[in-house]
Coordinates of all heavy atoms in Angstrom, one line a residue:
R1 N 39.5 -0.9 -52.4 CA 39.4 -1.4 -51.1 C 40.5 -0.9 -50.2 O 41.6 -1.2 -50.5 CB 39.5 -3.0 -51.2 CG 38.4 -3.6 -50.7 CD 38.4 -5.0 -51.0 NE 39.0 -5.9 -50.0 CZ 39.0 -7.2 -50.0 NH1 38.5 -7.8 -51.0 NH2 39.5 -7.8 -49.0
L2 N 40.1 -0.1 -49.3 CA 41.1 0.5 -48.4 C 41.5 -0.4 -47.2 O 42.6 -0.3 -46.7 CB 40.7 1.9 -47.9 CG 40.4 2.9 -49.0 CD1 39.8 4.2 -48.4 CD2 41.6 3.2 -49.7
L3 N 40.6 -1.2 -46.7 CA 40.8 -2.0 -45.5 C 40.8 -3.4 -45.8 O 40.1 -3.9 -46.7 CB 39.8 -1.6 -44.4 CG 39.6 -0.3 -44.0 CD1 38.4 -0.1 -43.0 CD2 40.9 0.2 -43.3
S4 N 41.6 -4.2 -45.2 CA 41.7 -5.6 -45.4 C 40.5 -6.3 -44.7 O 39.9 -5.8 -43.9 CB 43.0 -6.2 -44.9 OG 42.9 -6.1 -43.4
P5 N 40.2 -7.5 -45.2 CA 39.1 -8.3 -44.5 C 39.3 -8.5 -43.1 O 38.3 -8.6 -42.3 CB 39.1 -9.6 -45.4 CG 39.8 -9.3 -46.6 CD 40.7 -8.2 -46.3
H6 N 40.5 -8.7 -42.6 CA 40.8 -8.8 -41.2 C 40.4 -7.5 -40.4 O 39.9 -7.6 -39.3 CB 42.3 -9.2 -41.0 CG 42.7 -9.3 -39.6 ND1 42.3 -10.4 -38.9 CD2 43.5 -8.6 -38.8 CE1 42.8 -10.3 -37.7 NE2 43.5 -9.2 -37.6
T7 N 40.7 -6.4 -41.0 CA 40.3 -5.1 -40.3 C 38.8 -5.0 -40.2 O 38.2 -4.5 -39.3 CB 40.9 -3.9 -41.1 OG1 42.4 -4.1 -41.3 CG2 40.7 -2.6 -40.4
H8 N 38.1 -5.4 -41.2 CA 36.6 -5.4 -41.3 C 36.1 -6.2 -40.2 O 35.2 -5.9 -39.5 CB 36.0 -5.8 -42.7 CG 36.1 -4.8 -43.7 ND1 35.2 -3.6 -43.7 CD2 36.9 -4.6 -44.8 CE1 35.5 -2.9 -44.7 NE2 36.4 -3.5 -45.5
L9 N 36.7 -7.4 -40.0 CA 36.3 -8.4 -38.9 C 36.5 -7.7 -37.5 O 35.6 -7.8 -36.7 CB 37.0 -9.6 -39.1 CG 36.6 -10.8 -38.1 CD1 35.1 -11.1 -38.3 CD2 37.5 -12.0 -38.3
I10 N 37.6 -7.1 -37.4 CA 37.9 -6.5 -36.0 C 36.9 -5.3 -35.8 O 36.4 -5.2 -34.7 CB 39.3 -6.0 -36.0 CG1 40.3 -7.3 -35.9 CG2 39.6 -5.1 -34.8 CD1 41.8 -6.8 -36.1
M11 N 36.7 -4.6 -36.7 CA 35.7 -3.5 -36.6 C 34.3 -3.9 -36.4 O 33.6 -3.4 -35.6 CB 35.7 -2.5 -37.9 CG 37.1 -1.7 -38.0 SD 37.1 -0.7 -39.4 CE 35.9 0.5 -39.1
F12 N 33.9 -5.0 -37.0 CA 32.5 -5.6 -36.8 C 32.5 -6.1 -35.3 O 31.5 -5.8 -34.7 CB 32.3 -6.7 -37.8 CG 31.0 -7.4 -37.6 CD1 29.8 -6.8 -37.9 CD2 30.9 -8.6 -37.0 CE1 28.6 -7.4 -37.7 CE2 29.7 -9.3 -36.8 CZ 28.5 -8.6 -37.1
K13 N 33.5 -6.8 -34.8 CA 33.5 -7.3 -33.5 C 33.4 -6.2 -32.4 O 32.7 -6.2 -31.5 CB 34.7 -8.2 -33.2 CG 34.6 -9.5 -33.9 CD 35.9 -10.3 -33.6 CE 35.9 -11.6 -34.3 NZ 37.1 -12.5 -33.9
L14 N 34.2 -5.1 -32.7 CA 34.1 -3.9 -31.8 C 32.7 -3.2 -31.9 O 32.2 -2.8 -30.8 CB 35.2 -2.9 -32.2 CG 36.6 -3.2 -31.9 CD1 37.6 -2.2 -32.5 CD2 36.8 -3.2 -30.3
A15 N 32.1 -3.2 -33.1 CA 30.8 -2.6 -33.1 C 29.7 -3.5 -32.3 O 28.9 -3.0 -31.6 CB 30.3 -2.5 -34.5
V16 N 29.9 -4.8 -32.4 CA 29.0 -5.7 -31.8 C 29.1 -5.6 -30.2 O 28.2 -5.4 -29.5 CB 29.1 -7.2 -32.2 CG1 28.5 -8.2 -31.3 CG2 28.7 -7.4 -33.6
V17 N 30.4 -5.5 -29.7 CA 30.7 -5.4 -28.3 C 30.1 -4.0 -27.8 O 29.5 -4.0 -26.7 CB 32.2 -5.5 -28.1 CG1 32.5 -5.1 -26.7 CG2 32.6 -7.0 -28.3
A18 N 30.3 -3.0 -28.6 CA 29.8 -1.7 -28.2 C 28.3 -1.7 -28.1 O 27.7 -1.1 -27.2 CB 30.4 -0.6 -29.1
A19 N 27.7 -2.4 -29.0 CA 26.2 -2.5 -28.9 C 25.7 -3.2 -27.8 O 24.7 -2.8 -27.2 CB 25.7 -3.0 -30.3
L20 N 26.4 -4.3 -27.5 CA 26.0 -5.1 -26.3 C 26.2 -4.3 -25.0 O 25.3 -4.3 -24.1 CB 26.8 -6.4 -26.2 CG 26.5 -7.4 -27.3 CD1 27.4 -8.6 -27.3 CD2 25.0 -7.9 -27.1
V21 N 27.3 -3.6 -24.9 CA 27.5 -2.7 -23.7 C 26.5 -1.7 -23.6 O 25.9 -1.4 -22.5 CB 28.9 -2.2 -23.7 CG1 29.2 -1.2 -22.6 CG2 30.0 -3.3 -23.6
A22 N 26.2 -1.0 -24.7 CA 25.2 0.0 -24.6 C 23.8 -0.4 -24.3 O 23.1 0.2 -23.4 CB 25.1 0.7 -26.0
S23 N 23.4 -1.6 -24.8 CA 22.1 -2.1 -24.5 C 22.1 -2.7 -23.1 O 21.0 -2.6 -22.4 CB 21.7 -3.2 -25.4 OG 22.6 -4.3 -25.3
A24 N 23.2 -3.2 -22.5 CA 23.1 -3.7 -21.1 C 23.1 -2.5 -20.1 O 22.5 -2.6 -19.1 CB 24.4 -4.5 -20.9
S25 N 23.7 -1.4 -20.4 CA 23.7 -0.2 -19.6 C 22.3 0.4 -19.5 O 22.0 1.1 -18.5 CB 24.7 0.7 -20.0 OG 24.3 1.3 -21.2
A26 N 21.4 0.1 -20.4 CA 20.0 0.6 -20.4 C 19.2 0.0 -19.3 O 18.3 0.5 -18.8 CB 19.3 0.4 -21.8
F27 N 19.6 -1.2 -18.9 CA 18.9 -2.0 -17.9 C 19.6 -2.0 -16.5 O 19.1 -2.7 -15.6 CB 18.7 -3.4 -18.3 CG 17.8 -3.5 -19.6 CD1 18.4 -3.8 -20.8 CD2 16.5 -3.3 -19.6 CE1 17.7 -3.8 -22.0 CE2 15.7 -3.3 -20.7 CZ 16.3 -3.6 -21.9
A28 N 20.7 -1.3 -16.4 CA 21.5 -1.2 -15.2 C 20.7 -0.4 -14.2 O 20.1 0.6 -14.6 CB 22.8 -0.7 -15.4
P29 N 20.7 -0.7 -12.9 CA 20.0 0.2 -11.9 C 20.7 1.5 -11.7 O 21.9 1.6 -11.8 CB 20.1 -0.6 -10.6 CG 21.2 -1.6 -10.8 CD 21.4 -1.8 -12.2
V30 N 19.9 2.5 -11.6 CA 20.4 3.9 -11.4 C 20.5 4.2 -9.9 O 19.6 4.0 -9.1 CB 19.4 4.9 -12.0 CG1 19.8 6.3 -11.9 CG2 19.2 4.6 -13.5
S31 N 21.6 4.6 -9.6 CA 21.9 5.0 -8.2 C 21.1 6.3 -7.9 O 21.2 7.3 -8.7 CB 23.4 5.1 -7.8 OG 23.9 6.1 -8.6
Q32 N 20.5 6.4 -6.8 CA 19.7 7.6 -6.5 C 20.3 8.3 -5.2 O 20.7 7.6 -4.3 CB 18.3 7.3 -6.2 CG 17.6 6.8 -7.5 CD 16.1 6.5 -7.1 OE1 15.7 6.4 -6.0 NE2 15.4 6.1 -8.2
F33 N 20.4 9.6 -5.3 CA 20.8 10.3 -4.1 C 19.6 10.5 -3.1 O 18.6 10.8 -3.4 CB 21.2 11.7 -4.5 CG 21.6 12.6 -3.4 CD1 22.8 12.5 -2.8 CD2 20.7 13.6 -3.0 CE1 23.2 13.3 -1.8 CE2 21.1 14.4 -1.9 CZ 22.3 14.3 -1.3
S34 N 19.9 10.1 -1.8 CA 18.8 10.1 -0.9 C 19.3 11.0 0.3 O 20.5 10.9 0.7 CB 18.4 8.8 -0.4 OG 19.5 8.1 0.2
R35 N 18.5 11.7 0.8 CA 18.8 12.6 2.0 C 18.6 11.8 3.3 O 17.7 11.0 3.4 CB 17.9 13.8 2.1 CG 18.1 14.8 1.0 CD 17.2 15.9 1.3 NE 17.3 16.9 0.2 CZ 16.5 18.0 0.1 NH1 15.6 18.2 1.0 NH2 16.6 18.7 -0.9
S36 N 19.4 12.1 4.3 CA 19.2 11.4 5.6 C 18.0 12.2 6.3 O 18.1 13.3 6.4 CB 20.5 11.4 6.4 OG 20.2 11.0 7.7
T37 N 17.1 11.4 6.8 CA 15.9 12.1 7.5 C 16.4 12.6 8.9 O 15.7 13.4 9.4 CB 14.7 11.1 7.7 OG1 15.2 10.0 8.4 CG2 14.1 10.8 6.3
A38 N 17.5 12.1 9.4 CA 18.0 12.6 10.6 C 18.5 14.1 10.6 O 18.4 14.8 11.4 CB 19.1 11.7 11.1
I39 N 19.0 14.4 9.4 CA 19.5 15.8 9.2 C 18.4 16.7 8.8 O 18.3 17.8 9.4 CB 20.5 15.8 8.1 CG1 21.8 15.0 8.4 CG2 21.0 17.2 7.7 CD1 22.8 14.7 7.4
F40 N 17.4 16.3 7.9 CA 16.3 17.2 7.5 C 15.0 16.7 8.1 O 14.2 16.1 7.6 CB 16.3 17.1 6.0 CG 17.5 17.5 5.2 CD1 18.4 16.6 4.8 CD2 17.8 18.8 5.0 CE1 19.6 16.9 4.1 CE2 19.0 19.2 4.4 CZ 19.8 18.3 3.9
Q41 N 14.9 17.1 9.4 CA 13.8 16.6 10.2 C 12.5 17.3 9.7 O 11.4 16.6 9.8 CB 14.0 17.0 11.7 CG 15.1 16.3 12.3 CD 14.7 15.1 13.0 OE1 13.6 14.8 13.3 NE2 15.7 14.2 13.2
D42 N 12.4 18.4 9.1 CA 11.2 19.1 8.7 C 10.8 18.6 7.4 O 9.6 18.8 7.0 CB 11.4 20.6 8.6 CG 11.8 21.2 9.9 OD1 11.3 20.7 11.0 OD2 12.5 22.3 9.9
L43 N 11.6 17.9 6.6 CA 11.2 17.5 5.3 C 11.1 15.9 5.2 O 11.9 15.3 5.8 CB 12.2 18.0 4.2 CG 12.3 19.4 4.1 CD1 13.4 19.7 3.0 CD2 11.0 20.1 3.7
G44 N 10.1 15.4 4.5 CA 9.9 14.0 4.4 C 10.4 13.6 3.1 O 11.2 14.2 2.4
A45 N 10.0 12.4 2.6 CA 10.5 11.9 1.3 C 10.1 12.8 0.1 O 9.0 13.3 0.2 CB 9.9 10.5 1.1
G46 N 11.0 13.0 -0.8 CA 10.7 13.9 -1.9 C 10.7 15.4 -1.6 O 10.4 16.2 -2.3
G47 N 11.2 15.7 -0.4 CA 11.4 17.2 0.0 C 10.1 17.8 0.5 O 10.0 19.0 0.7
M48 N 9.0 17.0 0.6 CA 7.7 17.5 1.0 C 7.7 17.5 2.6 O 8.3 16.7 3.2 CB 6.5 16.7 0.5 CG 6.5 16.7 -1.1 SD 6.3 18.4 -1.8 CE 4.6 18.6 -1.3
A49 N 6.8 18.5 3.1 CA 6.6 18.4 4.6 C 6.0 17.2 5.0 O 5.0 16.7 4.4 CB 5.8 19.7 5.0
D50 N 6.5 16.5 6.0 CA 5.9 15.3 6.6 C 4.6 15.5 7.4 O 4.7 16.3 8.4 CB 6.9 14.6 7.4 CG 6.5 13.1 7.6 OD1 5.5 12.7 7.2 OD2 7.3 12.5 8.3
T51 N 3.5 15.1 6.9 CA 2.2 15.4 7.7 C 1.4 14.1 7.9 O 0.2 14.0 7.8 CB 1.3 16.4 6.9 OG1 1.1 15.8 5.6 CG2 1.9 17.7 6.8
R52 N 2.1 13.0 8.1 CA 1.5 11.7 8.3 C 0.6 11.7 9.6 O -0.4 11.1 9.6 CB 2.5 10.6 8.2 CG 2.8 10.2 6.8 CD 3.9 9.1 6.9 NE 5.1 9.8 7.3 CZ 6.3 9.2 7.5 NH1 6.4 7.9 7.3 NH2 7.4 9.9 7.7
D53 N 1.1 12.2 10.6 CA 0.3 12.2 11.9 C 0.5 13.6 12.5 O 1.2 13.8 13.5 CB 0.9 11.2 12.9 CG -0.1 11.1 14.1 OD1 -1.2 11.5 14.0 OD2 0.4 10.5 15.1
P54 N -0.1 14.6 11.8 CA 0.2 16.0 12.2 C -0.6 16.4 13.5 O -1.6 15.9 13.8 CB -0.4 16.8 11.0 CG -1.5 16.0 10.5 CD -1.0 14.5 10.7
E55 N 0.1 17.3 14.3 CA -0.6 17.9 15.3 C -1.3 19.0 14.8 O -1.1 19.6 13.8 CB 0.4 18.3 16.4 CG 1.2 17.1 16.9 CD 1.8 17.4 18.4 OE1 1.4 18.5 18.9 OE2 2.6 16.6 18.7
E56 N -2.4 19.4 15.5 CA -3.2 20.5 15.1 C -2.4 21.8 15.0 O -1.6 22.1 15.9 CB -4.4 20.7 15.9 CG -5.4 21.7 15.4 CD -6.7 21.7 16.2 OE1 -6.7 21.1 17.4 OE2 -7.6 22.4 15.8
Y57 N -2.5 22.6 13.9 CA -1.7 23.8 13.8 C -2.7 24.9 13.2 O -3.4 24.7 12.2 CB -0.6 23.6 12.8 CG 0.1 24.8 12.4 CD1 1.0 25.5 13.4 CD2 0.0 25.4 11.2 CE1 1.7 26.6 13.0 CE2 0.7 26.6 10.8 CZ 1.5 27.1 11.8 OH 2.2 28.3 11.4
K58 N -2.8 26.0 13.9 CA -3.6 27.2 13.5 C -2.7 28.3 13.0 O -1.8 28.7 13.6 CB -4.5 27.7 14.5 CG -5.4 26.7 15.1 CD -6.6 26.4 14.2 CE -7.6 25.6 14.8 NZ -8.7 25.1 13.9
D59 N -2.9 28.7 11.7 CA -2.1 29.8 11.1 C -3.1 30.9 10.9 O -4.3 30.7 10.7 CB -1.4 29.3 9.9 CG -0.3 30.2 9.4 OD1 -0.6 31.2 8.7 OD2 0.8 30.0 9.8
E60 N -2.5 32.1 10.7 CA -3.4 33.3 10.4 C -4.0 33.1 9.0 O -5.2 33.5 8.7 CB -2.5 34.6 10.4 CG -2.1 35.0 11.6 CD -1.2 36.2 11.6 OE1 -1.0 36.8 10.5 OE2 -0.6 36.6 12.6
D61 N -3.2 32.4 8.1 CA -3.8 32.1 6.8 C -4.4 30.7 6.9 O -3.7 29.8 7.1 CB -2.6 32.1 5.7 CG -3.1 31.8 4.3 OD1 -4.3 31.5 4.1 OD2 -2.3 31.8 3.4
P62 N -5.8 30.6 6.7 CA -6.4 29.3 6.9 C -5.9 28.2 5.9 O -6.0 27.0 6.3 CB -7.8 29.7 6.7 CG -8.0 31.0 6.3 CD -6.6 31.7 6.4
R63 N -5.4 28.6 4.8 CA -4.9 27.5 3.8 C -3.7 26.8 4.4 O -3.3 25.7 4.0 CB -4.5 28.2 2.6 CG -5.7 28.8 1.8 CD -5.3 29.6 0.6 NE -4.5 30.7 1.0 CZ -3.8 31.6 0.2 NH1 -3.9 31.4 -1.1 NH2 -3.1 32.6 0.6
K64 N -3.0 27.4 5.4 CA -1.8 26.8 6.0 C -2.1 26.1 7.2 O -1.2 25.5 7.8 CB -0.7 27.9 6.2 CG -0.2 28.5 4.9 CD 0.8 29.6 5.3 CE 1.4 30.3 4.1 NZ 2.3 31.3 4.5
S65 N -3.3 26.1 7.7 CA -3.7 25.5 9.0 C -3.9 23.9 8.7 O -4.3 23.5 7.7 CB -5.0 26.1 9.5 OG -4.8 27.4 9.9
I66 N -3.6 23.2 9.8 CA -3.8 21.7 9.7 C -4.8 21.4 10.9 O -4.5 21.7 12.0 CB -2.5 21.0 10.0 CG1 -1.5 21.4 8.9 CG2 -2.7 19.5 10.0 CD1 -0.1 20.9 9.1
S67 N -5.9 20.8 10.4 CA -6.9 20.3 11.5 C -6.4 19.1 12.2 O -5.5 18.4 11.7 CB -8.3 20.1 10.8 OG -8.1 19.1 9.9
A68 N -7.1 18.8 13.3 CA -6.6 17.6 14.1 C -7.0 16.4 13.3 O -8.0 16.3 12.7 CB -7.3 17.6 15.5
A69 N -6.0 15.5 13.3 CA -6.2 14.2 12.6 C -7.1 13.3 13.5 O -6.9 13.2 14.7 CB -4.8 13.5 12.4
P70 N -7.9 12.5 12.8 CA -8.8 11.6 13.5 C -7.9 10.4 14.0 O -6.9 10.1 13.4 CB -9.8 11.2 12.5 CG -9.1 11.4 11.2 CD -8.2 12.5 11.4
S71 N -8.3 9.8 15.1 CA -7.6 8.6 15.5 C -7.8 7.5 14.5 O -8.7 7.5 13.7 CB -8.1 8.2 16.9 OG -9.5 7.7 16.8
F72 N -7.1 6.4 14.6 CA -7.3 5.2 13.7 C -8.7 4.6 13.9 O -9.3 4.3 12.9 CB -6.2 4.2 14.0 CG -6.2 3.1 12.9 CD1 -5.9 3.3 11.6 CD2 -6.6 1.8 13.4 CE1 -5.9 2.3 10.7 CE2 -6.6 0.8 12.4 CZ -6.2 1.1 11.1
E73 N -9.2 4.5 15.1 CA -10.5 4.0 15.4 C -11.6 4.9 14.7 O -12.5 4.3 14.1 CB -10.8 3.9 16.9 CG -9.9 2.8 17.6 CD -8.5 3.3 17.9 OE1 -8.2 4.5 17.9 OE2 -7.7 2.4 18.2
E74 N -11.4 6.2 14.8 CA -12.4 7.1 14.3 C -12.4 7.0 12.7 O -13.4 7.0 12.1 CB -12.0 8.5 14.6 CG -12.3 8.9 16.1 CD -11.8 10.2 16.5 OE1 -11.0 10.8 15.7 OE2 -12.2 10.8 17.5
Y75 N -11.2 6.8 12.2 CA -11.1 6.6 10.7 C -11.8 5.4 10.2 O -12.4 5.3 9.3 CB -9.6 6.6 10.3 CG -9.3 6.1 9.0 CD1 -9.6 6.8 7.8 CD2 -8.8 4.7 8.8 CE1 -9.4 6.3 6.5 CE2 -8.6 4.2 7.5 CZ -8.9 5.0 6.4 OH -8.6 4.5 5.2
L76 N -11.5 4.2 11.0 CA -12.2 3.0 10.6 C -13.8 3.1 10.7 O -14.5 2.6 9.9 CB -11.7 1.9 11.5 CG -10.3 1.4 11.2 CD1 -9.9 0.3 12.2 CD2 -10.1 0.9 9.8
K77 N -14.2 3.8 11.8 CA -15.6 4.0 11.9 C -16.2 4.8 10.7 O -17.2 4.5 10.2 CB -15.9 4.7 13.3 CG -15.8 3.7 14.4 CD -16.1 4.5 15.7 CE -15.8 3.7 17.0 NZ -16.0 4.4 18.2
Q78 N -15.5 5.8 10.4 CA -16.0 6.7 9.3 C -15.9 5.9 8.0 O -16.8 6.0 7.2 CB -15.1 7.9 9.2 CG -15.4 8.8 8.0 CD -14.3 9.9 7.8 OE1 -13.3 9.9 8.5 NE2 -14.6 10.9 6.9
R79 N -14.9 5.1 7.8 CA -14.8 4.3 6.6 C -16.0 3.3 6.5 O -16.6 3.1 5.4 CB -13.5 3.7 6.6 CG -13.0 3.2 5.1 CD -11.7 2.8 5.2 NE -11.6 1.6 4.3 CZ -10.5 0.9 4.0 NH1 -9.4 1.2 4.6 NH2 -10.6 -0.1 3.1
E80 N -16.2 2.7 7.7 CA -17.3 1.7 7.7 C -18.6 2.3 7.5 O -19.5 1.7 6.8 CB -17.2 1.0 9.1 CG -18.2 -0.2 9.2 CD -17.9 -0.9 10.6 OE1 -16.9 -1.5 10.8 OE2 -18.9 -0.8 11.3
A81 N -18.8 3.5 8.0 CA -20.1 4.2 7.8 C -20.3 4.6 6.3 O -21.4 4.6 5.8 CB -20.2 5.4 8.6
E82 N -19.2 4.9 5.6 CA -19.3 5.2 4.2 C -19.5 4.0 3.3 O -19.7 4.1 2.1 CB -18.0 6.1 3.7 CG -17.9 7.4 4.4 CD -16.6 8.0 4.0 OE1 -15.7 7.4 3.4 OE2 -16.4 9.2 4.4
G83 N -19.3 2.8 3.9 CA -19.4 1.6 3.1 C -18.2 1.2 2.2 O -18.4 0.5 1.2
N84 N -17.1 1.7 2.6 CA -15.8 1.3 1.8 C -15.1 0.1 2.4 O -14.7 0.0 3.4 CB -14.9 2.5 1.7 CG -15.4 3.6 0.9 OD1 -16.2 3.3 0.0 ND2 -15.1 4.9 1.2

């Protein structure tokens, strides 16, 4: 026996405390880095281009073009006509 019973008790207590701290940190909220939208006007959340209410844009490459967005009333009429 190299260690006394008192040393075993101290080591056990330290192991229990370390396990509690490690398990509690698993449920701690993670701080997230967020960009200010005032600085990055061209990018929306997640670094994607913001196209929530886009103006019509015609590009030489048709894949990059954005058609005119319907108004909210037009959207509701279209949705009602589809039965959704």
Side-chain angles (χ1 to χ4, degrees):
R1 236 168 97 171
L2 299 175
L3 301 174
S4 69
H6 181 68
T7 307
H8 279 289
L9 183 62
I10 291 174
M11 290 178 67
F12 177 74
K13 287 181 180 180
L14 284 174
V16 169
V17 169
L20 288 173
V21 169
S23 65
S25 67
F27 298 102
V30 178
S31 63
Q32 294 180 352
F33 175 77
S34 63
R35 293 184 186 176
S36 170
T37 56
I39 297 173
F40 300 98
Q41 295 270 340
D42 297 332
L43 299 179
M48 299 297 291
D50 193 3
T51 59
R52 281 177 282 178
D53 189 17
E55 298 203 8
E56 188 172 12
Y57 173 73
K58 298 286 185 189
D59 194 273
E60 291 178 6
D61 186 353
R63 295 174 294 176
K64 296 179 183 177
S65 295
I66 300 174
S67 59
S71 68
F72 187 67
E73 291 81 16
E74 292 171 343
Y75 164 74
L76 289 178
K77 287 178 186 177
Q78 177 187 8
R79 198 174 146 178
E80 191 175 289
E82 292 174 354
N84 291 331

